[in-house]
Amino acid sequence: TLFHMAEREGYIRPVTFDSPTPSPETEEQGEAEAATTKPKHVRMLEALQANDDAEMARIANMAWLIDGLIPAESFGVLYGEPGCGKSFTAVDMSCAIASGTQWQGLDTGDEGVVVYISAEGGNGMRFRKRAWEQVNTKAPLMRVLPITTIMDDPKDVGQLTQVIREYRKHIDQPVKLVVVDTLNRSMGGNENDNSDMADFIRGCELIQHDHKCGVMVVHHSGKDAEKGARGASALKAATDFEIMVTKQESILTITNTRAKDVEPLPPIICRADVVTIEGYTDYKGRPITSLVPVPASFSDQLKAASGMTERETMLLDCVRAQVAKEGALDGSADRQEVRRLFMERSGIHGGKFGQAFSYNLKSLADKGCIRLSKDYVYLLEI
């Protein structure tokens, strides 16, 4: 009653994230489970009394969620521009971790629960998971939570950690990763304010420490994706890993832009394949589809490495073919013949063709693949 009266006058009741002292039933669940239910002051005292060599050995032998990319019990960000495939990549990673199968050729360890908080597009996330399962294997431990959690709100975070704790008891499986998709929809404060961002990070770390799991936040990049995720600098400073996703046509490039205490992995190239969901249609009877990242072919990898679009690659092939046909020693090709060949191969006609031809021709010249004159296109060494 006193709390209720005080709250009506503006008092905010503190939220505790510590459970009561472990009961005999809790102790039977093992040391790992009991550790998360100890009062905070007990955990602090144990940390001060810990043996350095024993702790370093424990950390050195800690498993990876994805080998060399995402450490266990870590906090990090996966980011990219809108529509770049970052959520599909996050689902791909989550399903692989939950099922204990390899992710794009990298080991994930034993299976475990992945809680995917889908604050954006919650209804479609289950179809993305099902599409992944059709291509790969069942991932029952990848659980979709289509309810927004405000990670800088202690009450919301308190509810989430209690729900996850109850689910762990129900399923008797460890939680390996919690995905927050996206930061913007899961933050009440201003993402450009370092103080507000610190509150968001604190909420993520409470989940991370309470459940001995990793937390990965899906976020948008700034105007220049190469400069990292948008928002306050406190976010990058707090991360153990940072992963950038870029898309070029159907090719996804996953780049490890920050790796704490280890060497970053080289970029991982994959292709987003369209998959038709079996057994489901929409209200008009049309098939439901989704995208699933699959290993890239050698040509896909070359395309990603060159940074060229499909049309640029096609136009460059037209230049090469015309140079070979004319047999010019200086690498020249008749510009009109290149134009004719590109129209034939691209299938573009009308006013759009002239624009597409000029744009892609200039783009190839800017990338140093060709040199232009009024009547000729000169093939350069790439």
Side-chain angles (χ1 to χ4, degrees), residues 6-310:
E7 286 172 344
R8 284 192 305 177
E9 298 300 319
Y11 172 72
I12 300 175
R13 190 188 309 199
V15 177
T16 176
F17 296 95
D18 295 313
S19 296
T21 303
S23 63
E25 291 80 9
T26 301
E27 291 176 352
E28 291 177 1
Q29 296 176 18
E31 294 181 2
E33 176 71 17
T36 66
T37 58
K38 292 179 181 178
K40 187 174 182 179
H41 69 277
V42 173
R43 288 183 274 132
M44 292 173 70
L45 182 59
E46 288 179 349
L48 289 175
Q49 295 175 324
N51 178 273
D52 286 344
D53 289 332
E55 284 300 295
M56 287 192 294
R58 179 185 66 82
I59 294 169
N61 290 299
M62 189 178 292
W64 290 76
L65 297 181
I66 296 179
D67 190 33
L69 186 65
I70 302 179
E73 299 182 30
S74 62
F75 170 71
V77 173
L78 183 147
Y79 71 94
E81 297 176 345
C84 73
K86 55 185 178 292
S87 288
F88 290 104
T89 301
V91 170
D92 186 30
M93 291 175 169
S94 298
C95 288
I97 292 169
S99 60
T101 56
Q102 284 194 334
W103 176 77
Q104 303 298 331
L106 300 175
D107 291 335
T108 61
D110 297 331
E111 66 180 21
V113 176
V114 174
V115 178
Y116 198 109
I117 304 173
S118 180
E120 285 189 7
N123 290 334
M125 200 56 66
R126 297 189 193 279
F127 284 110
R128 296 182 184 187
K129 174 189 172 186
R130 180 58 57 85
W132 188 94
E133 290 178 322
Q134 284 182 201
V135 173
N136 296 280
T137 186
K138 290 291 183 182
L141 296 181
M142 198 288 236
R143 309 308 304 164
V144 177
L145 183 60
I147 300 174
T148 301
T149 298
I150 304 302
M151 299 303 292
D152 50 340
D153 181 346
K155 290 184 179 180
D156 255 23
V157 176
Q159 287 181 333
L160 176 62
T161 195
Q162 290 165 21
V163 166
I164 293 176
R165 185 180 295 125
E166 287 302 312
Y167 183 71
R168 286 169 55 191
K169 292 178 183 178
H170 170 73
I171 200 169
D172 194 26
Q173 287 277 2
V175 174
K176 300 184 72 174
L177 179 67
V178 174
V179 179
V180 180
D181 185 359
T182 61
L183 183 148
N184 179 259
R185 293 293 297 272
S186 305
M187 183 176 181
N190 182 353
E191 67 180 41
N192 295 305
D193 184 279
N194 272 316
S195 178
D196 289 350
M197 185 61 76
D199 291 338
F200 176 89
I201 295 166
R202 193 174 297 114
C204 292
E205 289 179 340
L206 282 167
I207 298 297
Q208 174 191 350
H209 295 151
D210 198 20
H211 299 286
K212 303 295 181 184
C213 66
V215 175
M216 182 171 73
V217 178
V218 180
H219 191 25
H220 298 288
S221 60
K223 292 181 179 179
D224 184 355
E226 297 295 332
K227 293 183 179 180
R230 75 186 188 195
S233 59
L235 180 63
K236 185 179 182 72
T239 57
D240 299 305
F241 66 89
E242 190 181 63
I243 300 167
M244 177 177 69
V245 180
T246 55
K247 185 179 180 184
Q248 179 186 329
E249 303 294 339
S250 61
I251 309 302
L252 304 179
T253 301
I254 297 99
T255 306
N256 193 185
T257 55
R258 176 176 169 82
K260 207 170 185 178
D261 301 326
V262 295
E263 284 295 316
L265 291 176
I268 295 165
I269 314 297
C270 52
R271 188 182 71 254
D273 272 4
V274 178
V275 175
T276 300
I277 311 298
E278 297 173 356
Y280 293 90
T281 57
D282 69 6
Y283 75 104
K284 287 190 173 182
R286 294 170 297 199
I288 297 174
T289 61
S290 185
L291 297 177
V292 177
V294 299
S297 65
F298 182 66
S299 61
D300 291 335
Q301 294 182 37
L302 287 178
K303 186 186 298 181
S306 69
M308 290 192 293
T309 66
E310 289 184 4

